[in-house]
Amino acid sequence: GDARFGIVHDSSVSADNTGIHNRFTLNIDAATETDSGLEFFARVRVRGENTGVDGDPVTPGNQANASGVSAPRVGVRAGGVEVAVGNIKGAIEEMPGLYGGEVGLTALGDLNAVAKTTRTSDNWDMFSSAGGGANGAEVLYSGNGISGHLSHSPVSDRTALFAAYEQDTWFVAGGYQTGDLSIDDKVILTAGATFGNFGVGAGYADNDGTEKWRLSGTARVGAATVLTAFVADDESATETLWGVGFNHDLGGAEFVGGVVSDEDGENQADLGLRFNF
Amino acid sequence: GDARFGIVHDSSVSADNTGIHNRFTLNIDAATETDSGLEFFARVRVRGENTGVDGDPVTPGNQANASGVSAPRVGVRAGGVEVAVGNIKGAIEEMPGLYGGEVGLTALGDLNAVAKTTRTSDNWDMFSSAGGGANGAEVLYSGNGISGHLSHSPVSDRTALFAAYEQDTWFVAGGYQTGDLSIDDKVILTAGATFGNFGVGAGYADNDGTEKWRLSGTARVGAATVLTAFVADDESATETLWGVGFNHDLGGAEFVGGVVSDEDGENQADLGLRFNF
Amino acid sequence: GDARFGIVHDSSVSADNTGIHNRFTLNIDAATETDSGLEFFARVRVRGENTGVDGDPVTPGNQANASGVSAPRVGVRAGGVEVAVGNIKGAIEEMPGLYGGEVGLTALGDLNAVAKTTRTSDNWDMFSSAGGGANGAEVLYSGNGISGHLSHSPVSDRTALFAAYEQDTWFVAGGYQTGDLSIDDKVILTAGATFGNFGVGAGYADNDGTEKWRLSGTARVGAATVLTAFVADDESATETLWGVGFNHDLGGAEFVGGVVSDEDGENQADLGLRFNF
């Protein structure tokens, strides 16, 4: 699992616009293997957090939320193929490069993700860390640099697919989603490459006609610090989106912060510490 | 713990009558022993699932449920005697042979259980896997083939008892329940025996005047497969109940399926995989 | 973690005034250390219980509660200093001697705590064992017998502080709390000392003008049994508060019980077993 804590700021909130953020994530993984080599697995996740602004209460009398335990994801894998049902991961969520260019302790609204627009929001299936999720089914394949993922949920009525090719220093990926709601239709393309201490990435999506693209880059400065920046254009947003962030390795934990400018040109920022256990 | 997943079908549901089922069960057991040999224990259970049909949502916009953590069962044991309070197991639920003849991945409504009728449903105290349970108290004894169990809950106002005698190849058991509600009165008799690759079982219950009986049998066919069948008559049901199922051992997991016919003659079926960890 | 179970009685409740109590507490602690010696940590707690009287349901049809998983407390420590955010412990709650003189399996309403009065109740921030807590921030220091703790919550709008000095056989501590609500203002003083088999303690608090004091004592009688008694005067209570209790060590578990007299002179009592794991 992992945990993080720090300060978050949102200039679009008029009062109490700076808050204390914390998040705790513990995966409970169970697995067993048959004599013939099939590996059965199940996961639930314990997740607790206070986002610090917006949804969480900061007024007297309101209490923060308890942690939740997610619905299970249960399945079987053999060779490079995995089949799972329940609280599925979702093909769009797992597509390489979807979150390329991410900045900050908290990802600051995932403005870098081309599948998320002001008009459509993040309308794809993903593992719910403290809730029920999409109760779907999915098949994943990975081998020889090729990966693919097909997911479907009868709850969300979304079917999604990605295919990707990854080498040591570059990747390309394409994703597709269709749903009962036409707003759920998506075509997504991502790519990325690294050159020594530098990395570049790009993404494009047609979200039911709403186009979004993103360019991002990372630069290693010194032994332990990486800078990240992105710029993105969302057809349904008033302003150009951008973000910059840093990640400093403490040798067992990370000191992380970032600033973004959102669809209205308002700024959000965060700063804090993150660690795995 | 254990987990399972598969497909469930219910012909009595008009739309979306086939669904994806999954369940995850993790027991968190704590124990300590005093110098004098008393063993104190406590258990809570983490349970998440989607039943696949009926109660769980399959319409867009509805979300599946998060997992729950059960209320605790806490107690002490010494020799063959165990005393526990809280989220008790319940004497009827633990009676040998109550679930004799069970078929399918999901037990398909437990139509084989003679203490459960169309009129009374499953009106006895049992450990709640993701909820609060009966907050009662119970005493269990086991030794030399004899077992007994007395339970009481001030929440459900039920008092229940079973006594059983078990040998290697056969058992007999008798159960009794009385409650503040007369519908909770029950007398239950079960028995079973095995003969090499074959097994037979029988059950009878008077559920506040509503009689139910059940005959069941199992047959091992080949090295890894067991077939199970039952037929049951519930005075409060329109149709005779029956079910057939199979269980195929994968050497570390099980491939399981079954079909039953319920009180209206409608069929339910399931098919899937089950494993322990 | 730990667990306990037993019987609780409250003479102020007219019906069902004796109930079965149980509680289960499991701390899930995660930690990691950086190369430079910073220790990052996170905790959530799984808590399930039935109090046995009062809040919990004892009428048919009502179900007891499932267990909860607390919001996380996340932080970092180095040397004797600890910084944490989220579901904070709170300075008043952690003040040495606050719970001096505690009796019984369940603490029986914490009548011995001078910061809790009939008028103000327990109006300070504390770690929530199954809920969200105060989502605050706190700094703790401990070293060379000196300890201090400063906490603040923007949810409760309380800021609290304690400082204490502890030696092998005695301690003194002072606490202070101020809040947006004037009823949250508190000044607290506690002290305690042990003399061989005997111990004495005292506490005083001004709770927004409502004074409360407490005297308590413990006596070891025999090798494994400790008796505890307290008397307290709460300006906002009709009657003098008192309590007596015992604690018998079973070598791996404890047999514990107590009786108290509350603000109306009504008695509450409990008796049961407690163990750590």
Side-chain angles (χ1 to χ4, degrees):
Chain A
D2 58 81
R4 69 191 194 196
F5 63 103
I7 302 287
V8 295
H9 172 82
D10 184 349
S11 71
S12 67
V13 178
S14 56
D16 281 329
N17 60 9
T18 301
I20 304 164
H21 171 91
N22 72 76
R23 174 183 278 191
F24 172 87
T25 305
L26 174 69
N27 296 319
I28 301 179
D29 285 314
T32 190
E33 191 168 338
T34 65
D35 302 342
S36 58
L38 291 171
E39 187 188 353
F40 288 87
F41 61 88
R43 165 177 285 191
V44 296
R45 181 175 287 176
V46 179
R47 159 64 62 83
E49 70 177 330
N50 271 88
T51 60
V53 284
D54 270 356
D56 282 309
V58 285
T59 48
N62 287 336
Q63 288 300 301
N65 297 317
S67 298
V69 184
S70 77
R73 180 177 185 265
V74 185
V76 58
R77 65 175 74 94
V81 178
E82 179 176 311
V83 177
V85 301
N87 188 357
I88 55 171
K89 292 180 169 182
I92 301 301
E93 176 73 6
E94 296 298 307
M95 181 178 169
L98 179 69
Y99 291 109
E102 181 178 289
V103 298
L105 178 70
T106 65
L108 292 167
D110 294 319
L111 303 177
N112 49 302
V114 292
K116 180 178 184 178
T117 68
T118 296
R119 172 173 164 249
T120 63
S121 191
D122 51 347
N123 57 339
W124 62 87
D125 295 327
M126 62 189 83
F127 185 83
S128 170
S129 293
N135 197 34
E138 60 189 348
V139 182
L140 292 77
Y141 171 78
S142 178
N144 299 316
I146 297 169
S147 60
H149 188 157
L150 174 65
S151 65
H152 173 72
S153 165
V155 176
S156 70
D157 281 318
R158 291 174 188 140
T159 301
L161 173 75
F162 87 73
Y165 186 71
E166 295 187 71
Q167 289 293 338
D168 281 356
T169 58
W170 61 276
F171 76 91
V172 291
Y176 173 78
Q177 179 177 275
T178 183
D180 271 16
L181 303 173
S182 63
I183 200 174
D184 285 347
D185 293 346
K186 283 179 194 299
V187 175
I188 310 167
L189 299 170
T190 58
T194 56
F195 309 93
N197 288 326
F198 300 91
V200 295
Y204 165 83
D206 178 325
N207 299 284
D208 183 38
T210 301
E211 293 186 309
K212 183 173 178 181
W213 57 260
R214 180 254 311 161
L215 293 176
S216 57
T218 61
R220 177 168 295 276
V221 292
T225 307
V226 174
L227 302 181
T228 302
F230 76 86
V231 58
D233 183 78
D234 170 0
E235 264 198 310
S236 61
T238 309
E239 302 284 340
T240 297
L241 312 171
W242 57 262
V244 294
F246 75 94
N247 187 323
H248 182 73
D249 186 351
L250 300 173
E254 292 177 334
F255 181 46
V256 189
V259 180
V260 298
S261 179
D262 68 15
E263 68 269 25
D264 302 313
E266 299 280 357
N267 289 329
Q268 296 168 51
D270 61 20
L271 186 67
L273 294 150
R274 186 159 62 193
F275 57 100
N276 296 316
F277 53 80
Chain B
D2 58 82
R4 69 192 194 196
F5 62 103
I7 301 288
V8 295
H9 173 81
D10 184 348
S11 71
S12 68
V13 178
S14 56
D16 281 328
N17 59 9
T18 300
I20 303 164
H21 171 91
N22 70 77
R23 174 183 279 192
F24 172 86
T25 305
L26 174 69
N27 296 318
I28 301 179
D29 285 312
T32 190
E33 191 168 337
T34 65
D35 302 341
S36 58
L38 290 171
E39 187 188 353
F40 289 86
F41 61 87
R43 166 177 284 191
V44 297
R45 181 176 287 175
V46 179
R47 160 65 62 83
E49 70 178 330
N50 270 88
T51 60
V53 284
D54 270 356
D56 282 309
V58 286
T59 48
N62 288 336
Q63 289 301 300
N65 297 316
S67 297
V69 184
S70 77
R73 181 178 185 264
V74 185
V76 58
R77 63 175 76 94
V81 177
E82 179 176 311
V83 177
V85 302
N87 188 357
I88 55 172
K89 291 180 169 181
I92 301 301
E93 176 73 5
E94 296 299 307
M95 180 178 171
L98 179 69
Y99 291 109
E102 181 178 289
V103 299
L105 177 70
T106 65
L108 292 167
D110 294 318
L111 303 176
N112 49 303
V114 291
K116 179 178 185 179
T117 67
T118 296
R119 173 173 163 248
T120 64
S121 191
D122 50 347
N123 57 339
W124 62 89
D125 295 328
M126 62 189 83
F127 185 84
S128 170
S129 294
N135 197 32
E138 60 188 347
V139 182
L140 292 76
Y141 171 79
S142 177
N144 298 317
I146 297 170
S147 60
H149 188 156
L150 174 66
S151 65
H152 173 73
S153 165
V155 176
S156 69
D157 282 316
R158 292 173 187 140
T159 302
L161 174 75
F162 87 73
Y165 186 72
E166 295 187 71
Q167 288 292 340
D168 281 356
T169 59
W170 62 274
F171 76 92
V172 291
Y176 173 79
Q177 178 176 274
T178 184
D180 271 17
L181 303 173
S182 63
I183 200 174
D184 285 346
D185 293 346
K186 283 179 194 299
V187 175
I188 311 168
L189 299 170
T190 57
T194 55
F195 310 93
N197 286 327
F198 299 92
V200 295
Y204 165 84
D206 179 324
N207 298 285
D208 183 38
T210 301
E211 293 186 311
K212 183 173 178 180
W213 57 259
R214 180 255 309 161
L215 293 176
S216 57
T218 60
R220 177 169 296 276
V221 292
T225 306
V226 174
L227 302 180
T228 301
F230 75 87
V231 58
D233 184 78
D234 170 0
E235 264 197 311
S236 61
T238 310
E239 302 284 340
T240 297
L241 312 170
W242 58 261
V244 294
F246 75 93
N247 186 324
H248 182 73
D249 186 351
L250 300 173
E254 292 177 333
F255 181 46
V256 189
V259 179
V260 298
S261 179
D262 68 15
E263 67 269 24
D264 303 313
E266 298 280 359
N267 289 328
Q268 296 168 51
D270 61 21
L271 185 68
L273 293 151
R274 187 158 63 193
F275 57 100
N276 296 316
F277 52 80
Chain C
D2 58 82
R4 68 191 195 196
F5 62 103
I7 301 288
V8 296
H9 173 81
D10 184 348
S11 71
S12 68
V13 177
S14 57
D16 281 328
N17 59 9
T18 301
I20 303 164
H21 172 91
N22 71 77
R23 175 183 278 191
F24 171 87
T25 305
L26 174 69
N27 295 319
I28 300 179
D29 285 313
T32 190
E33 191 168 337
T34 65
D35 302 341
S36 58
L38 292 171
E39 187 187 354
F40 289 86
F41 61 87
R43 166 178 284 192
V44 296
R45 181 175 286 175
V46 179
R47 160 65 61 84
E49 71 178 329
N50 270 88
T51 60
V53 285
D54 269 357
D56 281 310
V58 285
T59 48
N62 288 336
Q63 288 301 298
N65 298 316
S67 298
V69 184
S70 78
R73 180 177 185 265
V74 184
V76 59
R77 65 174 74 93
V81 178
E82 179 176 310
V83 177
V85 301
N87 188 356
I88 55 171
K89 292 180 170 182
I92 302 301
E93 176 73 7
E94 296 298 308
M95 181 179 170
L98 179 70
Y99 291 108
E102 182 178 289
V103 299
L105 178 70
T106 65
L108 291 166
D110 295 319
L111 303 177
N112 48 301
V114 291
K116 180 178 184 178
T117 68
T118 296
R119 172 172 165 252
T120 64
S121 191
D122 50 346
N123 56 340
W124 62 88
D125 295 327
M126 63 188 82
F127 185 84
S128 170
S129 294
N135 197 33
E138 60 188 348
V139 181
L140 292 77
Y141 171 78
S142 177
N144 299 316
I146 296 169
S147 59
H149 188 156
L150 174 66
S151 65
H152 172 74
S153 165
V155 177
S156 69
D157 281 316
R158 291 173 187 140
T159 302
L161 174 74
F162 87 74
Y165 186 70
E166 294 186 71
Q167 289 292 340
D168 280 355
T169 59
W170 62 274
F171 76 91
V172 292
Y176 172 79
Q177 179 175 276
T178 183
D180 271 16
L181 304 172
S182 63
I183 200 175
D184 285 346
D185 293 346
K186 283 179 194 298
V187 175
I188 311 167
L189 299 170
T190 58
T194 55
F195 309 93
N197 287 327
F198 299 91
V200 295
Y204 164 83
D206 178 325
N207 299 284
D208 183 37
T210 302
E211 293 185 311
K212 183 174 178 180
W213 58 259
R214 180 253 312 160
L215 293 176
S216 58
T218 60
R220 178 168 295 275
V221 293
T225 306
V226 174
L227 301 181
T228 301
F230 76 86
V231 59
D233 183 77
D234 170 0
E235 264 198 310
S236 61
T238 310
E239 303 283 341
T240 297
L241 312 171
W242 58 261
V244 294
F246 75 93
N247 187 324
H248 182 73
D249 187 349
L250 299 173
E254 293 177 332
F255 181 46
V256 189
V259 180
V260 298
S261 179
D262 69 16
E263 67 270 23
D264 303 313
E266 300 278 0
N267 290 329
Q268 297 168 50
D270 62 20
L271 186 67
L273 295 151
R274 187 158 62 193
F275 57 100
N276 296 316
F277 52 80

